[in-house]
Amino acid sequence: CDAYGIPTPGEGLATTADEAVALAAKIGFPVVLKIVSPEILHKTEAGGVLVGVSTEDDARAGFDTIIANARNYKADASIDGVQVQQMVGGDSHEVIIGATTDPTFGKVVAFGLGGVLVEVLKDVTFRLAPLDQATALSMLDGIAAAEVLRGARGAEPVDRDTLADVLRRVSELVTDFPEIAEFDLNPVFASASGAVAADVRIILSAGPVEERRRIPQEEILRVMTRLMNPKAVAVIGASDQEGKIGNSVMKNLVNGGYAGEIHPINPKASSILGRTAYASIGDVPGDVDVAVFAIPAKFVPAALEECGAKGVPAAVLIPSGFAETGNQDLQDEIVEIARRRGIRMLGPNIYGYYYTPQNLCATFCTPYDVKGGVALSSQSGGIGMAILGFARSTKMGVSAIVGLGNKADVDEDDLITYFEQDDNTNVVAMHLEDLKDGRAFVAAAQRTIRKKPIIVLKAGRTAMGARAA
């Protein structure tokens, strides 16, 4: 806290009653005494806090009382000593400033009213770390009780700039040290003259901290442009047999009006729907931009390796049977192959995708030809097909309809990055169950909404919805 300029009271650790008296005299009365033990986190509950200690005799007696209370609370607790702190508070408001590591969004800073109010009222607001001063100030206005800090009923307002500065410094600290899992200043006493944190709690991550893999924006655009505007598409598992997914995908590409090359891949056929069939994608002459997979899940890894050898940049994985059915190992295997081979994957477990400016219908659903400026994506296949049916019945024009499924690789921020610069898209609409990388999503969305709006339907916000999602 000292290194980052986070204000804390004067303090020291006493291991004997004499040391407690000497520290209290040096800091200046009144002081606060607190138990220091890694096994006692809730100090007040253990009788391990004394406030308003005003004399040397009180400091000596207080030390003995706190040690005795701690022993009664947890006899086997290891006790480092008693912390002697400058007493702060007075005419001030208690607030809480903290940070946590969210699995989706990474380091997140929290601000709210302190003490029991944060637990009772749940009046807390959050932002992604690190913060600038303007964002930190917005947090002070982001709680329901913001008026209290502005000086309700004639009270003096708190020093907003100093309080926001503490938020900003906390955000920098947790950003610089990824191994900090949680960081709490509770309470922070905020007044017209400044802010000071009376208590600090830091919890470190139990294991190594892994950095997220983030793909540069220009690389995302390069591959997404080829995915949406392919000159050649291969269908792995193409079939002449009615009812097969590989047959539906082929017919939709052909009948949908896609003008690029269509290459069916099937080792048991010489031609499918009038197109020459190839035993392997490696046999296709020339480049292939997109490979659409319509084969059982167990055959996907070997076919993906062949796509990598061919230099195919994008794979659309329609098959199910991966993480959504509990087969995480198989999904991990195809992710490893795709990364090693430089392939971006859409799916698996999806209905495919449409991009109407290219008359591209790479899906087993029916073709869709009403063009417009709305790009739609859905994580759920059922919801995606329902949206498709609604769009068809209302003649609502779309630029794209994209299934995301398990999001083993390509996710919402990849799509937003493409649609941001797509002249055929004016609005982005998304059905979300979860986010793989919330921070990348926020960055892409904040950049895009300067040009075009994004509408998100978030599923799973209730307990029952979360179970269904």
Side-chain angles (χ1 to χ4, degrees), residues 98-416:
T100 188
T101 307
D102 183 85
T104 297
F105 291 95
K107 292 292 186 282
V108 178
V109 179
F111 173 77
L113 294 180
V116 295
L117 291 177
V118 71
E119 298 172 15
V120 175
L121 300 181
K122 305 282 191 287
D123 190 10
V124 187
T125 187
F126 302 90
R127 299 290 189 278
L128 299 185
L131 311 174
D132 57 26
Q133 190 74 357
T135 303
L137 283 166
S138 77
M139 295 185 75
L140 307 188
D141 297 322
I143 59 172
E147 196 61 35
V148 172
L149 303 179
R150 298 189 197 109
R153 298 200 172 193
E156 269 196 300
V158 302
D159 183 343
R160 288 170 54 83
D161 288 332
T162 297
L163 194 53
D165 190 56
V166 176
L167 277 161
R168 182 181 61 78
R169 291 171 184 271
V170 166
S171 78
E172 290 175 352
L173 172 56
V174 297
T175 300
D176 289 348
F177 293 93
E179 61 268 34
I180 295 177
E182 292 181 36
F183 187 96
D184 287 330
L185 305 177
N186 184 24
V188 175
F189 290 105
S191 66
S193 58
V196 60
D199 201 23
V200 182
R201 182 176 71 107
I202 297 171
I203 297 179
L204 300 180
S205 298
V209 180
E210 293 183 14
E211 283 197 29
R212 288 187 184 272
R213 173 179 177 259
R214 291 220 169 87
I215 299 172
Q217 187 179 342
E218 57 273 15
E219 177 61 16
I220 292 173
L221 276 176
R222 184 187 70 80
V223 178
M224 292 301 295
T225 299
R226 290 185 71 177
L227 176 70
M228 294 297 187
N229 302 275
K231 294 177 181 176
V233 176
V235 180
I236 299 176
S239 174
D240 262 331
Q241 189 177 338
E242 288 285 337
K244 292 272 192 177
I245 288 179
N247 179 257
S248 298
V249 173
M250 280 295 298
K251 285 198 296 188
N252 286 338
L253 284 168
V254 173
N255 299 338
Y258 171 62
E261 296 176 12
I262 304 170
H263 301 296
I265 310 299
N266 187 327
K268 297 178 181 178
S270 58
S271 69
I272 295 174
L273 298 184
R275 264 73 175 177
T276 300
Y278 298 93
S280 165
I281 197 168
D283 299 330
V284 175
D287 293 336
V288 174
D289 299 294
V290 177
V292 181
F293 283 60
I295 54 177
K298 63 182 179 181
F299 299 124
V300 169
L304 202 58
E305 290 278 15
E306 293 175 356
C307 288
K310 176 68 176 174
V312 179
V316 178
L317 271 55
I318 291 175
S320 56
F322 293 89
E324 83 285 353
T325 62
N327 199 346
Q328 185 66 50
D329 289 344
L330 185 57
Q331 184 159 311
D332 291 342
E333 182 181 357
I334 63 171
V335 168
E336 186 280 323
I337 293 169
R339 288 185 180 178
R340 174 165 44 82
R341 290 292 198 171
I343 301 170
R344 297 302 310 274
M345 294 189 304
L346 188 61
N349 186 33
I350 61 172
Y351 49 82
Y353 75 113
Y354 302 78
Y355 188 59
T356 61
Q358 295 291 344
N359 297 317
L360 180 63
C361 178
T363 170
F364 60 81
C365 302
T366 50
Y368 188 75
D369 59 1
V370 184
K371 298 177 181 179
V374 180
L376 299 162
S377 76
S378 68
Q379 193 168 345
S380 158
I383 295 293
M385 286 185 273
I387 291 171
L388 176 62
F390 177 83
R392 181 175 289 111
S393 65
T394 56
K395 298 286 191 289
M396 182 182 73
V398 302
S399 60
I401 304 175
V402 183
L404 283 168
N406 295 6
K407 295 192 292 193
D409 180 21
V410 171
D411 60 7
E412 289 83 8
D413 53 279
D414 296 297
L415 295 182
I416 291 173

